[in-house]
Amino acid sequence: MLLEVSNLAVSFRMEGRIVEAVRGVSFSLDRGEILALVGESGSGKTVTALSILQLLPYPRAFHPSGSIRLLGREMVGADEATLRAIRGNRVGMVFQEPMTSLNPLHTVEQQVSEVLILHRRMSRQQARERVVELLRLVGIDDAERRLASYPHQLSGGQRQRVMIAMALANEPDLLIADEPTTALDVTVQAQILRLIRDLQRRLGMAVLLITHDLGIVRKMADRVCVMTQGEIVEQGPVSRMFEAPQHPYTRHLLAAEPRGRPPAVRAEAPVVMEARDLKVHFPIQRGLLRRTVGWIRAVDGVSLAVREGETVGVVGESGSGKTTLGLALLRLLPSDGAIRFAGTDIQGWSWKQMRPLRRQMQIVFQDPYGSLSPRLTVGEIVEEGLLVHRLVRSPEERRERVARILEEVGLDPEMMDRYPHEFSGGQRQRISIARAMVLEPRFVVLDEPTSALDVSVQAQIVELLRSLQERHRLAYLFISHDLRVVRALAHQVIVMKEGRVVEQGPAAEIFERPQAAYTRALLAAALDLEVAEPEAVSG
Amino acid sequence: MRSMARRIPYRFLGVRLRLTPLGIRRLENFRANRRGYWSLVIFLWLFGISLFAEFLANDRPICIRYDGRFYFPVFFTYPETTFGGDFPTEADYRDPFVRAAIEEKGWILWPPIPYRYDTVIRDLPGPAPSPPSWQNPLGTDDQARDVLARVIYGFRISVLFGLVLTLASSIIGIAAGAIQGYAGGWVDLLFQRFIEIWSGLPVLYLLIILASIFTPSFWLLLTIMLLFSWMSLVGVVRAEFLRVRNFEFVRAARALGVSNLVIMFRHILPNAMVSALTFLPFILNGSITTLTSLDFLGFGLPPGSPSLGELLAQGKNNLHAPWLGITGFVVLATILSLLVFVGEAVRDAMDPRKTFR
């Protein structure tokens, strides 16, 4: 057995308290096997993985019990020299965020050759050759030229490939991949997953894959451990987990994938928001006099119409101009082209002119942590719109309105005197939605409102958005890269790439009969985690 | 805007406050730093006592009972004729004649130290500066004035000067930093260059030149020093505004139609206040030190005013009278240490890692 974890517990000392992060975790992993550790945020899956290499902040973290036997050696309490000989040598690790896990001041060559020089005592020249070989192995084209590149000159997918090259440099027996594709676009995600699988087969190593995405588990893993609240509640072969889940939590997790279809739109519903040939171009300025040398076409000629009670889904990968489009429609960014709100052309209106309209058009942002003012209570955050538009004068009445809307989004009104940091991600997103909804808007831009949330919470938020739409006949512009969520919510879909519309039409048609090659690739990557027609995707 | 945040009653330093839970956690963190907490208690006591310096050290009695009536020379000026003297000028209560005249028909209640900071003691046993004695616990200076009385008044004026200067420069500094950080672009660029030039001016020379043109007074000195001290907070506040203005909650507020001013004050400023507040005790310290050094050089407060810097200068000029220098040193070291300790506790209280989670 390559890795054997038995009865492992991890606790943290926090200001005199002891927090138990992981309790009684046991699993084993053999050569050539892929084991997935699935769980939602805070379930202890990353802590478990980090304790294998003893990378936790000791002595603040400690193991009250348990043992980790790796290659026949005990890791818990092993001395630094033993650990160093294993880290990066027998065990490689890939982290979630490729930007921050690469040193921004080191070139690709320096980054990757470090482990070679350290563990294999290779000369610079030998190391260089091996680095080129590794870069080719992980599918970086033009490997020699890339040696001198810095991380910021690479795309997200390339950075993750470099990370994998580093992890594989010494042909490890075990690769620990901690959410290796979470920060990447769907098409890139599919490529990276395929790369990991290919390499695993070719090199015969074991992979411990940590993820929250059941789709990835189904695609990649041989066996799976489901973790929640620091414990493994179910483990076994992947097929059994998907077909006959034993534990209620596993069943809950499986049931949580967003499903259902949006409610039908009335035939005579009026158009709320309309844009014709909308363009947002940012100037590229150079030199002392800041001459404009070119334009970044963030949004280039998009036309759309959103009717009352209708959801228009905007899908595309990062940098495709989805968010810019949403902000431009709300006139939060300067743009060209006609924008008609409820029949009136609002393009070119001043900030003052726009102010009364603001209550009818709202936005919900992606990051539930960044979008709430940390120093205001939930009540103060939600009531702000009412204050700005002088809708409700007396504080008592305002409190009541806030309480009512909090209840509507599924929060306890008693919570209005608490601060945002006391809430979970899903609850915070509900607060953001309440802030937008308290003004009773007609048009709401939802900018990736579910991307930062756990799957089970995602489904709840989708449900909430759908019921709010039905009750108040809201018009949504739903921006997302997650096609499963879009399928559950959108009536119309716009597929964007590099600021342009690739394909546009009724959701059912786009999902069933995609016309453009790019759309097909996107759908394959997002729904089946497959790399389709590589020429359609650049990543 | 009337906020509807929940506030909880809380007692801190004997004051009843109504605070948000966050505020309470901060004050508890502050209190957890025992050294800083007790420094604040001691400092507040010393400052509180010094505010009543007139009742503590004065050459006018607090209260006089004369001929069946009460007089309060601390508050009012009485001519000598009131107490049966000869002159219509203000009574000199230290004059043995006047004293005898009053005590004949009543009594006098003196403050514990019967000298003001500018009282010249004429009946010293030896030449000034005289060493500590029962009459003058810290001795007298070279102009025969009681050192303890001067220290009490000097402490008060130093701290008051420091507080006013800190408050004024914080208001200007925070406003300037806020505008720069929020506006960004050209405003920020030009303002930063202006600050660089302005902070390059030789402050001390300017003060010396200005002191030779105008007669320095408390407020004039304050204004001149304010011209240069407001820049200390600009950097911190500006950086915080630059960081926070791109956060999504600011964008969300803009989408709600909130005006720029409200965004600045309600959404961004509270975030910037943490770093600004952490700086305050140190700015206060700096202000006191600057005033003291100007006084030491003789360009500070007008001659005759009680000042710690002048005491230090006297100590330097009269090395044979070590009580002058030692007193000056001990008093200054105490103020500055107390404030640094308080500053450390404030920093602890504002530490987000201690506050959240």
Side-chain angles (χ1 to χ4, degrees):
Chain A
M1 205 50 74
L2 176 71
L3 171 70
E4 207 156 5
V5 176
S6 50
N7 198 26
L8 178 74
V10 185
S11 295
F12 289 89
R13 293 190 184 91
M14 308 252 275
E15 292 173 44
R17 289 178 306 131
I18 287 179
V19 181
E20 291 186 334
V22 170
R23 283 181 304 273
V25 162
S26 306
F27 61 88
S28 62
L29 180 58
D30 216 344
R31 282 176 205 280
E33 199 180 20
I34 300 186
L35 175 71
L37 220 51
V38 206
E40 301 189 274
S41 52
S43 62
K45 52 191 196 302
T46 298
V47 171
T48 306
L50 287 175
S51 46
I52 292 171
L53 287 181
Q54 299 282 294
L55 285 170
L56 292 170
Y58 302 99
R60 208 160 66 76
F62 60 102
H63 302 288
S65 71
S67 95
I68 301 169
R69 291 194 76 77
L70 179 68
L71 296 157
R73 252 172 296 184
E74 178 59 48
M75 299 303 283
V76 175
D79 60 83
E80 268 302 299
T82 319
L83 291 173
R84 268 205 303 271
I86 285 180
R87 289 176 188 158
N89 192 23
R90 308 313 321 150
V91 179
M93 193 145 182
V94 179
F95 297 95
Q96 173 174 356
E97 187 50 71
M99 190 67 224
T100 48
S101 16
L102 291 175
N103 187 332
L105 297 177
H106 285 179
T107 61
V108 169
E109 183 185 357
Q110 284 170 312
Q111 279 322 327
V112 183
S113 62
E114 187 178 19
V115 272
L116 293 168
I117 295 166
L118 207 68
H119 290 288
R120 298 257 164 128
R121 315 214 173 279
M122 282 189 182
S123 68
R124 294 228 159 261
Q125 191 52 44
Q126 284 171 309
R128 192 188 179 94
E129 278 160 25
R130 174 77 178 136
V131 172
V132 173
E133 194 186 316
L134 282 166
L135 292 182
R136 289 219 181 94
L137 185 70
V138 297
I140 287 184
D141 9 282
D142 217 356
E144 273 102 353
R145 223 164 44 82
R146 281 291 173 204
L147 286 179
S149 300
Y150 286 92
H152 69 266
Q153 296 169 315
L154 306 174
S155 69
Q158 283 171 326
R159 275 185 224 129
Q160 201 61 297
R161 283 169 197 269
V162 171
M163 276 299 294
I164 293 172
M166 278 168 72
L168 296 182
N170 289 324
E171 293 170 4
D173 302 299
L174 171 64
L175 175 72
I176 301 177
D178 186 0
E179 304 263 9
T181 57
T182 309
L184 304 175
D185 279 324
V186 274
T187 51
V188 184
Q189 162 171 316
Q191 292 167 22
I192 295 288
L193 289 177
R194 188 161 78 171
L195 172 71
I196 292 179
R197 208 172 46 222
D198 287 352
L199 290 172
Q200 182 263 337
R201 284 197 192 128
R202 217 179 322 161
L203 306 175
M205 60 183 175
V207 176
L208 180 63
L209 182 70
I210 294 143
T211 183
H212 66 273
D213 190 332
L214 291 172
I216 294 179
V217 175
R218 184 157 20 192
K219 196 84 202 162
M220 300 277 293
D222 303 315
R223 285 191 306 122
V224 61
C225 296
V226 182
M227 281 193 84
T228 181
Q229 292 170 5
E231 288 175 81
I232 293 184
V233 293
E234 183 164 356
Q235 58 177 313
V238 167
S239 53
R240 201 182 73 200
M241 191 199 94
F242 278 97
E243 275 146 32
Q246 302 296 313
H247 194 272
Y249 178 75
T250 318
R251 265 177 258 150
H252 165 76
L253 210 58
L254 285 170
E257 297 209 341
R259 54 192 64 215
R261 290 287 176 269
V265 186
R266 290 179 306 134
E268 75 282 4
V271 171
V272 177
M273 177 59 91
E274 196 179 359
R276 287 261 157 274
D277 199 22
L278 192 70
K279 288 186 185 121
V280 183
H281 292 182
F282 297 113
I284 307 169
Q285 290 169 330
R286 291 261 166 76
L288 194 63
L289 295 171
R290 323 263 304 146
R291 269 182 321 119
T292 303
V293 295
W295 297 88
I296 295 172
R297 296 172 207 280
V299 173
D300 206 15
V302 175
S303 301
L304 57 87
V306 193
R307 294 192 298 161
E308 204 174 79
E310 186 183 50
T311 303
V312 172
V314 182
V315 296
E317 303 188 65
S318 54
S320 60
K322 308 184 297 276
T323 300
T324 312
L325 171 67
L327 294 177
L329 283 179
L330 295 184
R331 302 275 343 282
L332 291 170
L333 277 178
S335 59
D336 282 317
I339 304 173
R340 296 172 75 81
F341 179 73
T344 331
D345 193 343
I346 56 169
Q347 181 62 277
W349 281 24
S350 70
W351 188 253
K352 256 217 180 80
Q353 281 175 299
M354 282 302 296
R355 250 183 103 154
L357 281 183
R358 291 259 169 247
R359 64 166 285 215
Q360 298 182 44
M361 40 171 91
Q362 277 302 310
I363 184 163
V364 175
F365 292 98
Q366 167 177 9
D367 179 9
Y369 292 89
S371 60
L372 302 178
S373 214
R375 281 162 213 287
L376 296 180
T377 63
V378 170
E380 287 173 311
I381 289 169
V382 176
E383 75 170 341
E384 178 146 47
L386 298 175
L387 282 169
V388 168
H389 296 283
R390 301 200 177 80
L391 291 179
V392 186
R393 293 208 178 260
S394 82
E396 292 74 33
E397 223 175 301
R398 234 171 17 234
R399 232 182 132 80
E400 203 170 300
R401 277 280 281 277
V402 171
R404 226 184 311 143
I405 201 78
L406 286 178
E407 211 158 348
E408 189 167 356
V409 300
L411 289 172
D412 184 356
E414 292 292 305
M415 293 173 168
M416 82 169 82
D417 294 319
R418 303 234 211 116
Y419 285 86
H421 69 265
E422 300 174 53
F423 293 89
S424 69
Q427 285 174 318
R428 283 163 155 258
Q429 204 55 285
R430 286 174 194 271
I431 297 168
S432 294
I433 293 171
R435 168 173 60 189
M437 295 304 167
V438 77
L439 290 173
E440 295 164 3
R442 299 182 61 191
F443 175 65
V444 183
V445 172
L446 301 158
D447 187 0
E448 308 250 14
T450 57
S451 312
L453 305 176
D454 282 325
V455 264
S456 59
V457 184
Q458 263 183 22
Q460 292 163 15
I461 295 288
V462 165
E463 208 52 54
L464 169 67
L465 289 171
R466 210 151 45 193
S467 76
L468 285 170
Q469 177 169 54
E470 213 167 357
R471 227 171 309 154
H472 303 291
R473 281 186 291 166
L474 294 165
Y476 285 154
L477 184 78
F478 188 83
I479 298 167
S480 184
H481 67 270
D482 189 338
L483 291 164
R484 277 172 290 192
V485 180
V486 172
R487 183 152 64 174
L489 266 175
H491 302 93
Q492 305 279 327
V493 171
I494 297 174
V495 183
M496 284 183 75
K497 192 189 181 205
E498 286 158 17
R500 281 169 213 272
V501 175
V502 176
E503 197 167 352
Q504 186 167 9
E509 221 157 278
I510 293 211
F511 279 104
E512 299 311 321
R513 288 177 295 282
Q515 299 300 312
Y518 178 74
T519 315
R520 279 202 292 275
L522 206 61
L523 285 172
L527 302 176
D528 311 316
L529 298 169
E530 278 301 339
V531 184
E533 301 168 56
E535 69 276 8
V537 187
S538 63
Chain B
M1 281 196 202
R2 215 170 120 194
S3 138
M4 43 174 229
R6 175 185 54 164
R7 285 172 195 267
I8 302 164
Y10 184 78
R11 278 175 77 87
F12 184 72
L13 290 172
V15 186
R16 269 203 208 92
L17 302 166
R18 293 189 71 77
L19 286 175
T20 57
L22 186 68
I24 289 178
R25 257 183 288 176
R26 292 222 165 110
L27 285 185
E28 255 150 30
N29 276 338
F30 183 89
R31 193 176 276 176
N33 185 328
R34 314 275 320 154
R35 190 170 65 184
Y37 177 73
W38 285 108
S39 296
L40 180 68
V41 172
I42 295 169
F43 180 78
L44 285 180
W45 270 107
L46 289 178
F47 182 54
I49 290 171
S50 78
L51 283 180
F52 297 96
E54 273 80 5
F55 296 90
L56 213 61
N58 207 338
D59 58 358
R60 297 161 160 203
I62 295 171
C63 175
I64 289 177
R65 173 83 175 175
Y66 177 75
D67 215 2
R69 288 178 63 190
F70 282 107
Y71 296 90
F72 298 96
V74 184
F75 301 112
F76 308 104
T77 310
Y78 302 105
E80 211 178 289
T81 46
T82 322
F83 308 109
D86 304 322
F87 306 108
T89 53
E90 195 196 343
D92 177 4
Y93 304 97
R94 297 181 45 75
D95 188 332
F97 272 116
V98 178
R99 213 187 283 191
I102 295 170
E103 275 170 354
E104 208 170 278
K105 290 186 185 173
W107 44 261
I108 306 179
L109 177 65
W110 280 96
I113 303 156
Y115 314 103
R116 223 161 82 106
Y117 62 88
D118 56 355
T119 312
V120 176
I121 305 169
R122 300 195 187 285
D123 50 357
L124 282 178
S130 65
S133 64
W134 284 114
Q135 274 71 45
N136 313 105
L138 294 175
T140 59
D141 67 1
D142 59 4
Q143 288 168 52
R145 296 173 300 196
D146 183 60
V147 172
L148 182 58
R150 285 184 73 76
V151 162
I152 293 172
Y153 283 89
F155 175 85
R156 176 169 75 173
I157 209 164
S158 294
V159 173
L160 277 179
F161 185 90
L163 280 176
V164 176
L165 184 63
T166 308
L167 193 73
S169 49
S170 306
I171 291 172
I172 299 178
I174 289 174
I179 291 169
Q180 278 181 60
Y182 191 72
W186 278 106
V187 177
D188 185 39
L189 200 73
L190 291 177
F191 222 135
Q192 278 301 105
R193 298 299 84 76
F194 168 74
I195 285 180
E196 272 158 26
I197 295 168
W198 194 245
S199 59
L201 291 180
V203 183
L204 199 59
Y205 289 128
L206 271 174
L207 279 169
I208 292 171
I209 294 165
L210 286 170
S212 62
I213 301 172
F214 308 100
T215 355
S217 69
F218 181 90
W219 293 108
L220 183 71
L221 214 55
L222 192 82
T223 317
I224 297 172
M225 278 167 67
L226 184 59
L227 284 179
F228 298 95
S229 70
W230 60 272
M231 288 171 289
S232 48
L233 273 182
V234 171
V236 194
V237 176
R238 170 179 168 267
E240 201 66 27
F241 266 73
L242 278 176
R243 188 174 71 90
V244 176
R245 73 171 177 153
N246 291 324
F247 278 13
E248 279 190 342
F249 67 81
V250 173
R251 230 184 217 174
R254 289 175 71 86
L256 282 172
V258 180
S259 65
N260 284 336
L261 216 61
V262 176
I263 291 181
M264 281 168 79
F265 281 99
R266 191 172 144 98
H267 291 271
I268 310 184
L269 191 60
N271 292 288
M273 279 316 280
V274 172
S275 32
L277 268 178
T278 313
F279 261 81
L280 281 194
F282 302 104
I283 294 180
L284 182 56
N285 246 352
S287 311
I288 293 175
T289 318
T290 319
L291 179 69
T292 309
S293 48
L294 281 179
D295 281 340
F296 179 77
L297 294 172
F299 301 112
L301 295 169
S305 12
S307 100
L308 300 173
E310 199 231 333
L311 185 62
L312 285 179
Q314 283 207 21
K316 178 186 151 255
N317 294 335
N318 300 285
L319 287 177
H320 59 281
W323 56 89
L324 296 175
I326 291 174
T327 308
F329 167 74
V330 170
V331 172
L332 263 177
T334 310
I335 305 180
L336 299 183
S337 317
L338 287 177
L339 285 177
V340 168
F341 293 153
V342 173
E344 282 178 355
V346 171
R347 191 196 53 202
D348 278 3
M350 295 293 176
D351 188 347
R353 275 167 302 170
K354 290 205 171 181
T355 317
F356 297 117
R357 274 169 247 261

